[in-house]
Amino acid sequence: MKETQILLVDDEVIFTRNLSKLLEVRGYEVTIANDGKSALRAFGEKKFDVVVLDLKMPGMDGIATLEEIKQLGLFTETLILTGHGSSGTKAKADQLGAYAYLNKPCDLDDLLDMIEMASKKKHYTEKLDDLGKMIR
Amino acid sequence: MQDRATLNGDTAEKNGNPQQKIQYGKLFRRFILLTVVCSLVPLLLVGWGINIHYTRFAKSRLINSLQTQLADHRKIVELFLLERTSRLSLIAQTHSRDYLSSMLNLDTVFEILNRQDGSYTDLGVIDAGGRHLAYIGPYDLMDKNYKNEFWFKKVMEKGIFISDMFMGFRKVPHFIIAVLRIEKEKKWILRATIDTKVFSSLVESVQVGKSGEILLLNRQGVFQAAPRFSGEIMGKAPFPVGEIQKGVRIYVSESITNEKTQRFPRQIIAQTWLAEPRWLLMIRQDYAEALNEVNHANKVTLIFLHLSALVILIATIVVTHHMIAVIKKRDLEMDYLNRQFMQASKLASIGELSAGVAHEINNPLAIILTERQILLDVAGQLSDLNPDFKIQFLDSMEQIDSQIQRCKRITHNLLRFSRRTHSVIETVDINEFIGEVVELMEREARTSGIKFFTDLEENLPVLRSDPSQLQQVLLNMITNAMDAHDGTSYGNIRIHTRSDKNKEGVNIGISDSGLGIAPENLAKIFDPFFTTKAVGKGTGLGLSICYSIIKRLGGNISVKSEAGEGTEFTMFLPFEPPLELKESIMTKTKGEMP
């Protein structure tokens, strides 16, 4: 099976480097973006199954980035992983259709579980869509 | 001693601190002083002014009255003497010596003289040699020779003479009036004795108050009439008469005590010298009696004045007391509001700060966690690791993980504290709810020997509140209660519910038999980061989170504690959540569902 494509969006460079290392070891293909703009640019080059998105970033923040990603109309699931969680942003993220909302620091196993589930969801949604198209 | 700390301000402030008490005392005294100065001083000044004025007026009236009395009496005495002298003169001038020398004629004249008032005791005609030519009277004086008597010489010189009182041949106090007639160059004297009783009655019969008297003295200070009190006729007055002076003299003599142990209190005296004979007419009265009426009036005025002052003083004290009470109440309210405000702003600013800190710490924590995982990954791939190192390495990794988890708990607590969490209002059966929480905790408590007792009021109405937040509060309180038994192997935790007096909510009491809270810590226990637990065991946020939750749910929380005896927390929860909470939930819900 094709490797799961992950887009890791976080302004903490060390964190993104470390996490990508860990994920790659576990068989994921990871692309790093350290701000919202470069995350959106990355979508122009690749398709991602799961986006791991930080909320508090300079320039374009996580919520704005999520909005933009949703407008692209791609099949992709977003996990919010933030150290700045609050009920307001959680509600907003839920509303925008984020798959899950995780607080930093988060256990790697939990994150992996979430990524797996999100990736599956993305996969099935895509398949469902294909089936729908075929029927039509 | 039992201390009570409240953040809802119901009792702790009522006693006030000593500093405040002193301030209220000062205020009280200042009010009293001001009122007294502004009301009593003018009252007393006016009172005293009137008093002085009235006394002066009364004194001048007394002096006037004494003057009049004295003048009247002087006139009476002088008229009496003048009339007696005139009659004698008339007889001497109109009758010849020969005529009067006849006992029969003299008797007739004597009878006519006495027909009016009988004031003549005897009547005698005396020749120039001092012998009686004729005599009518009760005494046998016919053969007496007056040539060497003092009055005889005087009358021969002056023509008319009124003697002082003297004893004379008859050895009875009397005085005489003698007139000289020169008839054909022969001198003869008509001499009469004045009835001492009739004369004395002029003076004695006069009463001046209870203590007053009229005195008649000659120049040597001998009484010419019997005084009421001061002595007897012909007796020497116990005071000097002084020099002859014109007019009326009024003065006050200080109290004197003479050798005869007779005591004269302070007296007011009016005196005047008669023209002829030179006798001193004196009215004297006890000063106190003379001014009795004035004194009485003054006394009444003073009593009235002081009573008024007393009434004003009492009224002032009562009014001031009331005012101070009002001020105190106002202060307490202010104090309470201030505290509320302080607590709220403290929580808000600490909330902001802690949220910031938590966020900033979460990112490095996440990095540490990933670094740890990388190390573990790398180590897992290495097969030729020193076994000792491997054991140590895994131990350290475990420790790093547990410390990260600890940090995470702290930051999550901080965030929960600061976060205006999304409240959900649901129906809560508080008794059932407490039962569930207790069941949850009992398992943990059993190992530490702590027993739970619940006393829940039956048929309590259901609450409309946020169950997840309530659970957080209850769990926190019960955990605290259990921690309070640290070091003992047994203990009780009692939980009771009672509906509020006004039927607006429910009171929940959680009491433990633990160590209690030191009095100095009572006021601080709801402050964020205040903890008495060992480092690493508590963040000091539990109770402040409980406090802010309960406040948000429209309730109150208070604590009573006795060091060594235990602690009791009492929470009030309203049946209905406050309006602000309902509104905030409504707006949020609207925002979420466009």
Side-chain angles (χ1 to χ4, degrees), chain B residues 276-296:
Chain B
E276 191 60 43
R278 305 259 36 181
W279 289 346
L280 178 69
L281 184 68
M282 183 188 262
I283 298 181
R284 52 187 301 155
Q285 194 179 8
D286 280 4
Y287 191 78
E289 195 203 338
L291 288 174
N292 192 20
E293 245 173 76
V294 185
N295 288 339
H296 183 72

Side-chain angles (χ1 to χ4, degrees), chain B residues 345-413:
Chain B
S345 57
K346 197 153 67 176
L347 286 178
S349 59
I350 286 175
E352 248 164 64
L353 177 72
S354 51
V357 170
H359 289 150
E360 291 315 314
I361 286 173
N362 278 343
N363 276 323
L365 275 182
I367 294 170
I368 293 170
L369 204 63
T370 51
E371 291 285 0
R372 173 184 168 276
Q373 197 58 52
I374 289 168
L375 275 177
L376 278 173
D377 283 3
V378 173
Q381 282 162 7
L382 296 173
S383 51
D384 53 347
L385 269 179
N386 178 326
D388 286 348
F389 172 76
K390 195 168 182 182
I391 290 166
Q392 180 57 53
F393 176 77
L394 291 175
D395 259 9
S396 297
M397 285 299 131
E398 201 51 48
Q399 194 52 244
I400 288 170
D401 187 48
S402 79
Q403 293 308 317
I404 288 171
Q405 295 309 325
R406 184 176 154 191
C407 290
K408 193 171 148 185
R409 269 202 306 280
I410 294 171
T411 56
H412 283 192
N413 265 334

Side-chain angles (χ1 to χ4, degrees), chain B residues 9-284:
Chain B
D10 50 8
T11 51
E13 299 89 347
K14 283 202 176 134
N15 299 327
N17 58 34
Q19 189 74 38
Q20 267 175 328
K21 255 185 192 173
I22 290 167
Q23 274 184 356
Y24 289 128
K26 214 184 249 176
L27 199 63
F28 185 77
R29 283 193 292 277
R30 206 173 287 172
F31 269 134
I32 297 274
L33 190 74
L34 203 69
T35 321
V36 164
V37 166
C38 289
S39 60
L40 287 194
V41 167
L43 176 78
L44 292 179
L45 277 180
V46 169
W48 282 325
I50 288 172
N51 197 16
I52 287 168
H53 182 77
Y54 178 67
T55 308
R56 201 174 288 166
F57 169 72
K59 269 185 186 167
S60 82
R61 222 176 48 173
L62 175 73
I63 287 168
N64 276 343
S65 123
L66 276 177
Q67 248 167 350
T68 318
Q69 274 188 65
L70 195 68
D72 287 351
H73 278 93
R74 180 187 166 139
K75 212 164 270 173
I76 289 166
V77 173
E78 279 179 346
L79 267 177
F80 181 89
L81 293 173
L82 186 68
E83 199 195 342
R84 300 306 173 279
T85 315
S86 307
R87 278 192 221 165
L88 277 190
S89 265
L90 186 69
I91 289 162
Q93 298 303 327
T94 50
H95 297 74
S96 67
R97 178 184 136 168
D98 296 341
Y99 178 81
L100 289 176
S101 297
S102 141
M103 291 291 256
L104 201 68
N105 291 343
L106 192 65
D107 192 39
T108 315
V109 167
F110 184 63
E111 211 174 295
I112 292 165
L113 275 178
N114 269 345
R115 198 170 288 164
Q116 226 163 4
D117 51 15
S119 55
Y120 297 90
T121 311
D122 61 6
L123 189 64
V125 180
I126 298 159
D127 68 7
R131 282 185 312 264
H132 259 133
L133 296 175
Y135 172 78
I136 299 292
Y139 303 104
D140 184 20
L141 301 169
M142 264 313 282
D143 52 347
K144 297 290 179 206
N145 191 316
Y146 294 107
K147 202 178 174 179
N148 296 320
E149 290 296 308
F150 69 94
W151 60 263
F152 186 79
K153 286 168 192 160
K154 291 263 183 184
V155 80
M156 291 303 273
E157 274 171 36
K158 291 186 176 176
I160 292 175
F161 179 69
I162 303 168
S163 78
D164 290 350
M165 281 282 171
F166 67 107
M167 301 304 271
F169 292 115
R170 63 190 85 165
K171 312 291 178 209
V172 177
H174 66 284
F175 78 97
I176 57 132
I177 301 174
V179 276
L180 179 73
R181 166 95 194 264
I182 304 169
E183 193 182 349
K184 296 166 194 162
E185 290 178 8
K186 270 185 185 171
K187 290 180 179 172
W188 60 274
I189 291 162
L190 184 64
R191 185 211 66 129
T193 305
I194 303 300
D195 188 341
T196 311
K197 269 184 202 154
V198 174
F199 179 71
S200 259
S201 72
L202 288 180
V203 173
E204 287 164 20
S205 64
V206 181
Q207 291 215 344
V208 183
K210 278 181 189 167
S211 64
E213 57 184 349
I214 294 198
L215 309 175
L216 196 59
L217 299 145
N218 68 3
R219 292 188 63 183
Q220 286 75 43
V222 173
F223 287 117
Q224 301 302 301
R228 273 172 84 196
F229 307 110
S230 306
E232 50 195 27
I233 193 159
M234 294 294 291
K236 184 97 172 125
F239 46 82
V241 291
E243 287 300 304
I244 293 173
Q245 280 168 327
K246 260 192 175 176
V248 174
R249 186 171 158 240
I250 293 175
Y251 61 98
V252 175
S253 78
E254 291 310 314
S255 64
I256 43 166
T257 311
N258 67 4
E259 312 94 48
K260 292 171 192 162
T261 69
Q262 244 181 315
R263 199 177 169 278
F264 291 94
R266 195 166 185 233
Q267 287 186 318
I268 184 156
I269 293 167
Q271 63 178 39
T272 184
W273 288 89
L274 303 187
E276 191 60 43
R278 305 259 36 181
W279 289 346
L280 178 69
L281 184 68
M282 183 188 262
I283 298 181
R284 52 187 301 155

Side-chain angles (χ1 to χ4, degrees), chain A:
Chain A
M1 195 180 125
K2 207 181 91 189
E3 282 178 346
T4 308
Q5 291 289 332
I6 294 174
L7 176 62
L8 192 50
V9 191
D10 198 315
D11 59 327
E12 289 272 353
V13 180
I14 303 171
F15 181 70
T16 50
R17 197 186 63 204
N18 284 353
L19 193 56
S20 74
K21 225 181 254 178
L22 287 170
L23 292 175
E24 274 162 8
V25 167
R26 282 159 182 77
Y28 297 95
E29 201 161 296
V30 182
T31 306
I32 292 172
N34 288 118
D35 57 66
K37 288 261 160 67
S38 38
L40 290 173
R41 266 201 305 276
F43 273 98
E45 293 158 15
K46 246 183 190 176
K47 282 185 178 178
F48 297 104
D49 300 310
V50 178
V51 182
V52 176
L53 181 61
D54 185 19
L55 286 183
K56 200 184 168 203
M57 289 182 295
M60 197 181 196
D61 72 354
I63 295 292
T65 312
L66 181 58
E67 271 174 345
E68 293 286 324
I69 292 170
K70 286 287 159 186
Q71 283 192 357
L72 293 175
L74 298 166
F75 289 103
T76 185
E77 289 299 329
T78 312
L79 289 177
I80 303 289
L81 176 61
T82 182
H84 302 271
S86 72
S87 57
T89 53
K90 185 179 189 314
K92 191 77 190 162
D94 286 347
Q95 197 190 324
L96 287 173
Y99 179 75
Y101 192 96
L102 296 169
N103 280 311
K104 275 189 198 171
C106 168
D107 283 338
L108 185 62
D109 292 342
D110 295 345
L111 182 63
L112 290 175
D113 287 351
M114 281 296 167
I115 288 173
E116 255 336 286
M117 289 198 289
S119 145
K120 266 181 193 155
K121 188 188 171 195
K122 185 252 161 186
H123 187 67
Y124 289 126
T125 332
E126 206 170 17
K127 269 203 168 162
L128 207 64
D129 192 63
D130 285 350
L131 286 171
K133 275 180 190 164
M134 280 167 73
I135 293 164
R136 246 179 273 144

